[in-house]
Amino acid sequence: MNWKQLISNCRLGQEHRHPERHDDRTEFKRDYDRLIFSAPFRRLQNKTQVFPLPGSIFVHNRLTHSLEVASVGMSLGNDVFRILSSKNGGFIDTLASEMGQIVATACLAHDMGNPPFGHSGEKAIQTFFTEGKGRHLEHEVSKDFWADITHFDGNANAFRLLTHSFKGRRQGGFAMTYSTLASIVKYPFPSTQCGKKNKFGFFASERPAYEALADKLGIPQIAPDRWARYPLVYLVEAADDICYEIMDLEDAYKLKILTFDETRRLMLDFFDETDQNRILDRISDEEVSDPNEKIQYLRACVINKLEHECVDVFVGHEAEILAGAFSGSLVDHISAVPCQAYQRCAELSRQRIYKSRPVLDVELSGYRIMATLMELMVEAVEHPDRYYSQQLIGRVSSQYDIDSPDLETRLMAVVDYISGMTDVYALDVYQKICGISLPIV
């Protein structure tokens, strides 16, 4: 792969159009603005990140997480470009100067396909077809479609959301640039290749879109049904890895799942003794007395450290990345001290945060809500002539092709509809159609 081909401002669905421009924004900045002002992006404010949506203490939701990831992604992209442009003669003459903008935009989009209630919502969709009342549908749909819905994944759903032409919408979905779209595909293979991890990059219906951008950008196919990763995916992934791991610690501290001393120790461990002493001097009681302010400063130092480490890894392994031969994530390859600290944080998060009572409670509730919605809506599209089915179908937005004569199209419309809900809206629909609450006029 080469950078001059990899960075393209060609737009999906508008390959042969050259619209008149009335401002100085680049095509990649237009991508960013298009997402920021979109309804699916706004809906992230009511989608669970890890902890239940805020009560008296505000913790991260998908929206605030995505904005922070985009900020780190911008820094990663800009720093990588700065170093590579001084290292590679002529590099600065390409569109690659927009690398930071491309990465930041992809970071905004990386969670847009996640259903309500996070991974619990994904599991509810998958298991409805593998363990629930949807099992009988296996023999009524194609193998590719069955693989897609039984391995439903927010990553693939984000690519669909941005590229699919829903009813009444323009060709190419959001009509994003090829480079931005390629930057969100962490797993460049279809669901038939994902194995037990349930991670894949695109549904069968969006495969032609992915193949088009892979061909345009020069992303090689490295095995049957598998492509090399687009290089900027590594930066998007790193921004996400940095933010969710470190910000989850801060949220756990705010919710008193972790003590101040535990949180401080975990964050200081990312640094050698010299840097630890320097940081402790900056947050001494004489300088800063507020414990929350101390944790915020530590968090900023850790994110800065990890950002620089990931830039060094990317630049140092540029040849492998462009050859499609780099293995693992950037965080996997950072230097020993921060790598070991990151691993300790990840292990603690698994044991103390992701298994904490508030997290488990929202997962259990979310799973039941999602499973019930899937059961009722799928039964409705299987038997659309029934009275109750017609009432349920009447609630669905006209952009979803839920009246299609094709069963697979109707089933995917149900998945699109439910996965696009916010946590709050999913709960509201669940309560109304189950007769738990009545609308107040």
Side-chain angles (χ1 to χ4, degrees), residues 115-116 125 370 373-374 377 413-422 426:
I125 294 173
M370 293 288 287
L373 293 178
M374 286 294 298
M377 292 304 305
V414 169
V415 173
D416 288 333
Y417 171 57
I418 293 176
S419 66
M421 293 178 176
T422 66

Side-chain angles (χ1 to χ4, degrees), residues 1 12 30 67 69 141 146 186 201 224 280 311 346 376 393 405 423 437 439:
M1 291 179 279
L12 184 70
R30 291 176 189 278
L67 290 169
V69 174
V141 298
W146 185 249
K186 287 175 64 176
L280 289 172
V311 168
L376 293 173
I393 290 171
D423 295 18
S437 68

Side-chain angles (χ1 to χ4, degrees), residues 40 44 47-49 61-63 65-66 69 106-115 154-155 158 161 184 240:
L44 293 176
K47 288 195 175 186
T48 301
Q49 173 66 14
N61 55 41
R62 292 281 177 187
L63 181 69
H65 168 70
S66 296
V69 174
C107 290
L108 286 184
H110 84 284
D111 270 352
M112 283 175 63
N114 284 53
N155 295 282
L161 182 66
I184 72 166
D240 188 29

